[in-house]
Amino acid sequence: MRRILYLEPVGGIAGDMFLAAGLDLGISPAELERALSGLRVPGWKLAVSRAVRHAISGTHLDVVLDAREAHPHRAYADIRRLIEEADTLPPRAKERALAVFRAIGEAEAKVHGVSIDDIHFHEVGAVDSIVDICGAAVVLELLGNPEVHAAPPPLGSGTIRVAHGAMPIPVPATLELLRDVPVRFEGVGELTTPTGAALLKVLAHIGHPPDFIVEKVGYGVGTKDFKDRPNVLRASLGRLEQARNEGLWVVEANLDDATPQLLGHLLERLLAVGALDAWVTPVVMKKSRPGHLLSALVEGGTREAIVDVVLRESTTLGVRYHRVERQALERDWVEVETPWGKVRVKRGLRQGAVLNAHPEFEDCRQLAEAAGVPVKQVMAAAVAALGPKD
């Protein structure tokens, strides 16, 4: 069963909010601390409390540091070594944490015009940020490694003072991290931090979530109190909707350069792979070019196989699909006797009443060829052989 974690950065996202949302979903703080205990960084502990923002109650988390930690500047290589040597971190959590720090390093390197090996992390290199990022990777492990989706984050506006001085909001690294994904330029203040942006970019699919059944909801409460929105990150945990696998889909692609031979082959392949039906429709495409719409009706469980056939064996560069509903008659088969032999007839029923009946063409064709009579004559005889109730 595929698990889904859907993040809604209602009031932005930061590393501590991600961890707090995970705890609000039921993760044990002690279990999280135990997984992070192998990080060889100065003393720290998690301070977990309840907090309210705009009447929304959730979990707030602070990484409380020893007084000796004074936000040192750490190189990317130093942070990578810290994570790799943490013997309590699960392997997959290490990979995710390293990927997040690399994304931040690459963004910082591009902004400053230097190599990633020359980057020294400031705020993100502090112990609390290292704990936040490694903790986020552990949270996913403790939640059962769900597939993570997220709504586009609000970035905020204004200016903020960081180690480099005054910076516009969103700071350059945040905006660089979130290039090529949907975002929202709204809000006052820093709503999405570089750490929060990196977590979304590396760990989540940003955009519309899949259909899923929500089982738990958690709220990670941030430290700020915005006037226009609650500073919370909502996390919904659940499973993919069962109907997603059992329902029906139409898969389709526009083709303007397919030969008749290729179209015929595609229909045969789609039906062989499991399509319930497949068809080709003539269409007029851009620049008034004649083309074809290739379509297939498929069950959810075979959708990916059908998509694969279309992408591999047709000339299209993309495939569309959407959920559909249908109402189908019940079906059965009866066998009737004709002057030339037996023919199977497919019947369509609704509440026990026969609404449609059609002879099996291959049966009629074989009998017609053997007897030297027209196929339509055998088909008519098969229909006539049906009883009044049929």
mmCIF file of all heavy atoms in Angstrom, residues 71 80 113 146 215-216 228 293 322 326 343 353 376 388:
data_model
loop_
_atom_site.group_PDB
_atom_site.id
_atom_site.type_symbol
_atom_site.label_atom_id
_atom_site.label_comp_id
_atom_site.label_asym_id
_atom_site.label_seq_id
_atom_site.Cartn_x
_atom_site.Cartn_y
_atom_site.Cartn_z
ATOM 1 N N HIS A 71 27.090 29.232 16.269
ATOM 2 C CA HIS A 71 26.848 29.283 14.825
ATOM 3 C C HIS A 71 28.153 29.310 14.028
ATOM 4 O O HIS A 71 28.442 30.274 13.320
ATOM 5 C CB HIS A 71 25.998 30.505 14.458
ATOM 6 C CG HIS A 71 24.585 30.380 14.907
ATOM 7 N ND1 HIS A 71 23.590 29.872 14.101
ATOM 8 C CD2 HIS A 71 24.002 30.669 16.092
ATOM 9 C CE1 HIS A 71 22.454 29.878 14.778
ATOM 10 N NE2 HIS A 71 22.682 30.342 15.975
ATOM 11 N N ARG A 80 29.103 16.966 5.314
ATOM 12 C CA ARG A 80 28.964 15.648 4.700
ATOM 13 C C ARG A 80 29.616 14.577 5.581
ATOM 14 O O ARG A 80 29.058 13.497 5.784
ATOM 15 C CB ARG A 80 29.612 15.663 3.313
ATOM 16 C CG ARG A 80 29.427 14.357 2.531
ATOM 17 C CD ARG A 80 30.005 14.494 1.148
ATOM 18 N NE ARG A 80 31.429 14.831 1.232
ATOM 19 C CZ ARG A 80 32.118 15.446 0.270
ATOM 20 N NH1 ARG A 80 31.491 15.830 -0.841
ATOM 21 N NH2 ARG A 80 33.391 15.706 0.401
ATOM 22 N N GLY A 113 28.677 32.594 -6.938
ATOM 23 C CA GLY A 113 29.619 32.454 -8.041
ATOM 24 C C GLY A 113 30.889 31.725 -7.680
ATOM 25 O O GLY A 113 31.972 32.076 -8.174
ATOM 26 N N PRO A 146 6.762 7.547 3.370
ATOM 27 C CA PRO A 146 5.656 7.875 2.461
ATOM 28 C C PRO A 146 6.147 8.636 1.248
ATOM 29 O O PRO A 146 7.243 9.219 1.250
ATOM 30 C CB PRO A 146 4.742 8.753 3.320
ATOM 31 C CG PRO A 146 5.687 9.429 4.274
ATOM 32 C CD PRO A 146 6.744 8.402 4.578
ATOM 33 N N GLU A 215 -5.582 9.802 6.922
ATOM 34 C CA GLU A 215 -5.727 9.030 8.164
ATOM 35 C C GLU A 215 -5.301 9.836 9.400
ATOM 36 O O GLU A 215 -5.861 9.677 10.468
ATOM 37 C CB GLU A 215 -4.898 7.752 8.071
ATOM 38 C CG GLU A 215 -5.361 6.819 6.966
ATOM 39 C CD GLU A 215 -4.439 5.651 6.741
ATOM 40 O OE1 GLU A 215 -3.228 5.780 7.053
ATOM 41 O OE2 GLU A 215 -4.899 4.612 6.253
ATOM 42 N N LYS A 216 -4.296 10.697 9.233
ATOM 43 C CA LYS A 216 -3.820 11.522 10.346
ATOM 44 C C LYS A 216 -3.499 12.921 9.834
ATOM 45 O O LYS A 216 -3.096 13.081 8.680
ATOM 46 C CB LYS A 216 -2.553 10.930 10.984
ATOM 47 C CG LYS A 216 -2.727 9.603 11.684
ATOM 48 C CD LYS A 216 -1.390 9.167 12.280
ATOM 49 C CE LYS A 216 -1.513 7.843 13.010
ATOM 50 N NZ LYS A 216 -0.195 7.426 13.566
ATOM 51 N N ASP A 228 -1.468 37.906 8.935
ATOM 52 C CA ASP A 228 -2.383 37.515 7.865
ATOM 53 C C ASP A 228 -2.584 36.009 7.728
ATOM 54 O O ASP A 228 -3.401 35.559 6.937
ATOM 55 C CB ASP A 228 -1.896 38.062 6.520
ATOM 56 C CG ASP A 228 -0.545 37.478 6.111
ATOM 57 O OD1 ASP A 228 0.224 37.087 7.008
ATOM 58 O OD2 ASP A 228 -0.282 37.409 4.897
ATOM 59 N N LEU A 293 -6.161 11.057 -32.803
ATOM 60 C CA LEU A 293 -6.195 10.965 -31.350
ATOM 61 C C LEU A 293 -6.244 9.493 -30.989
ATOM 62 O O LEU A 293 -7.218 8.795 -31.283
ATOM 63 C CB LEU A 293 -7.424 11.695 -30.787
ATOM 64 C CG LEU A 293 -7.653 11.562 -29.276
ATOM 65 C CD1 LEU A 293 -6.490 12.161 -28.502
ATOM 66 C CD2 LEU A 293 -8.965 12.241 -28.875
ATOM 67 N N HIS A 322 -6.912 10.767 -17.600
ATOM 68 C CA HIS A 322 -7.855 11.316 -16.634
ATOM 69 C C HIS A 322 -8.831 10.233 -16.204
ATOM 70 O O HIS A 322 -9.108 9.286 -16.943
ATOM 71 C CB HIS A 322 -8.619 12.518 -17.212
ATOM 72 C CG HIS A 322 -9.341 12.223 -18.493
ATOM 73 N ND1 HIS A 322 -8.734 12.377 -19.723
ATOM 74 C CD2 HIS A 322 -10.598 11.773 -18.753
ATOM 75 C CE1 HIS A 322 -9.591 12.037 -20.676
ATOM 76 N NE2 HIS A 322 -10.725 11.678 -20.118
ATOM 77 N N ARG A 326 -18.105 5.057 -15.612
ATOM 78 C CA ARG A 326 -18.978 4.472 -16.618
ATOM 79 C C ARG A 326 -20.031 3.615 -15.924
ATOM 80 O O ARG A 326 -19.830 3.151 -14.797
ATOM 81 C CB ARG A 326 -18.199 3.630 -17.623
ATOM 82 C CG ARG A 326 -17.700 2.298 -17.075
ATOM 83 C CD ARG A 326 -17.208 1.397 -18.195
ATOM 84 N NE ARG A 326 -16.704 0.137 -17.656
ATOM 85 C CZ ARG A 326 -16.247 -0.867 -18.391
ATOM 86 N NH1 ARG A 326 -16.227 -0.746 -19.711
ATOM 87 N NH2 ARG A 326 -15.821 -1.974 -17.828
ATOM 88 N N VAL A 343 -23.595 -20.895 -32.453
ATOM 89 C CA VAL A 343 -23.008 -19.557 -32.386
ATOM 90 C C VAL A 343 -23.171 -19.021 -30.966
ATOM 91 O O VAL A 343 -24.262 -19.124 -30.378
ATOM 92 C CB VAL A 343 -23.693 -18.593 -33.385
ATOM 93 C CG1 VAL A 343 -23.178 -17.158 -33.179
ATOM 94 C CG2 VAL A 343 -23.443 -19.035 -34.821
ATOM 95 N N ALA A 353 -33.063 -8.078 -17.071
ATOM 96 C CA ALA A 353 -33.694 -7.944 -18.386
ATOM 97 C C ALA A 353 -32.625 -7.788 -19.459
ATOM 98 O O ALA A 353 -31.665 -7.021 -19.286
ATOM 99 C CB ALA A 353 -34.630 -6.746 -18.403
ATOM 100 N N LYS A 376 -23.520 -12.170 -42.902
ATOM 101 C CA LYS A 376 -24.702 -11.506 -42.356
ATOM 102 C C LYS A 376 -25.876 -12.464 -42.260
ATOM 103 O O LYS A 376 -26.743 -12.308 -41.390
ATOM 104 C CB LYS A 376 -25.066 -10.285 -43.194
ATOM 105 C CG LYS A 376 -25.489 -10.595 -44.622
ATOM 106 C CD LYS A 376 -25.816 -9.320 -45.389
ATOM 107 C CE LYS A 376 -26.273 -9.631 -46.814
ATOM 108 N NZ LYS A 376 -26.593 -8.395 -47.569
ATOM 109 N N PRO A 388 -37.713 -15.470 -26.819
ATOM 110 C CA PRO A 388 -38.355 -14.199 -26.480
ATOM 111 C C PRO A 388 -37.690 -13.500 -25.304
ATOM 112 O O PRO A 388 -37.609 -12.271 -25.248
ATOM 113 C CB PRO A 388 -39.783 -14.600 -26.176
ATOM 114 C CG PRO A 388 -39.980 -15.897 -26.908
ATOM 115 C CD PRO A 388 -38.673 -16.601 -26.872
#
